[in-house]
Amino acid sequence: MSEPALPDGVERRSFDGTERLATRGEAVYGEPTDGDWRAWNPRRSKLGAMLELGMETGLAGGETVLYLGAASGTTVSHVADFAGPTYAVEFAARPARDLLEAADSRPRLFPLLADARKPETYAHVVESDVDVVVQDVATRGQARVALENRRFLADDGRLLLAVKARSENVARDPAAVFEDVRHELADGYDLLECRRLDGYHVDHEAIVARPR
């Protein structure tokens, strides 16, 4: 069975003799570059790890994206290199300053200093019928964040969620945490694929889902 195709604008290219995922854009976090191309480090990006693992993200290139937990722009800058309008929500002021710098050379990247747990605070900015919601937030209640932001997704859209077990409960078995998150998500989503990101990110699970 062949792996899913990479989105348009994402390629496998050689950097220092090693084949890696890459997008075209200005470097953001000291990643290797080759001309206009920059390497996408899956150990610093949950979405990058999902693509490396061949998960069916549904990303094809050109989508409208809502990115929750953009931090300083490591992953969302790659997304904005190949996607359409990309709304990047980040709550903390310090990483948001770096995010603004990443957006300087990316006209499709729109940073929003806001709390992903309170989508009503950016609902007036983010367009409806978003194609993809990417969620990477370090907080308790990660399933609830995904459910609250479901309002933005098109009927055939996709949720790409990176669940951080230690943010939910540092003392519990991560497998039990992931099971609880999947169960809660089922209130508003059909789960299409779930995979542990071990090898790239410890105690993380990636979930691909669609709104029901």
Side-chain angles (χ1 to χ4, degrees):
M1 188 175 183
S2 60
E3 287 188 359
L6 293 172
D8 287 345
V10 181
E11 295 186 4
R12 293 192 181 276
R13 300 180 69 88
S14 180
F15 295 86
D16 299 323
T18 302
E19 189 178 82
R20 301 173 64 175
L21 293 175
T23 61
R24 266 198 180 102
E26 186 176 290
V28 169
Y29 54 99
E31 66 275 24
T33 60
D34 180 11
D36 292 338
W37 292 89
R38 62 193 188 107
W40 189 346
N41 187 346
R43 288 179 171 78
R44 296 187 62 174
S45 168
K46 285 76 174 188
L47 181 58
M50 292 171 73
L51 292 173
E52 283 285 11
L53 291 169
M55 294 185 71
E56 293 270 10
T57 63
L59 290 166
E63 296 89 357
T64 301
V65 176
L66 173 60
Y67 195 105
L68 307 175
S72 58
T74 297
T75 297
V76 76
S77 62
H78 284 291
V79 173
D81 286 345
F82 69 85
T86 303
Y87 300 95
V89 175
E90 175 52 43
F91 179 67
R94 178 63 190 90
R97 289 198 290 272
D98 294 333
L99 178 60
L100 286 169
E101 289 184 16
D104 281 345
S105 61
R106 294 174 172 85
R108 298 190 299 271
L109 179 55
F110 304 102
L112 301 172
L113 184 59
D115 188 340
R117 296 170 297 183
K118 301 175 181 178
E120 66 277 5
T121 63
Y122 47 89
H124 63 293
V125 178
V126 178
E127 59 192 86
S128 58
D129 293 335
V130 164
D131 298 306
V132 178
V133 170
V134 181
Q135 181 178 319
D136 183 11
V137 296
T139 184
R140 289 190 177 184
Q142 292 166 78
R144 179 51 47 190
V145 172
L147 290 166
E148 291 290 335
N149 283 274
R150 179 185 174 279
R151 70 183 73 182
F152 299 110
L153 265 176
D155 291 342
D156 60 348
R158 289 290 183 274
L159 168 70
L160 307 179
L161 170 61
V163 182
K164 305 169 186 287
R166 299 305 179 190
S167 293
E168 291 287 346
N169 189 323
V170 71
R172 287 190 74 203
D173 176 16
V177 172
F178 299 144
E179 183 177 358
D180 286 350
V181 170
R182 291 193 297 267
H183 179 75
E184 188 174 353
L185 277 177
D187 287 344
Y189 291 94
D190 291 320
L191 276 56
L192 305 177
E193 187 176 4
C194 304
R195 288 188 67 171
R196 293 284 290 261
L197 296 180
D198 297 342
Y200 293 103
H201 301 275
V202 176
D203 296 334
H204 283 71
E205 180 171 90
I207 296 174
V208 180
R210 65 184 173 205
R212 64 165 52 165

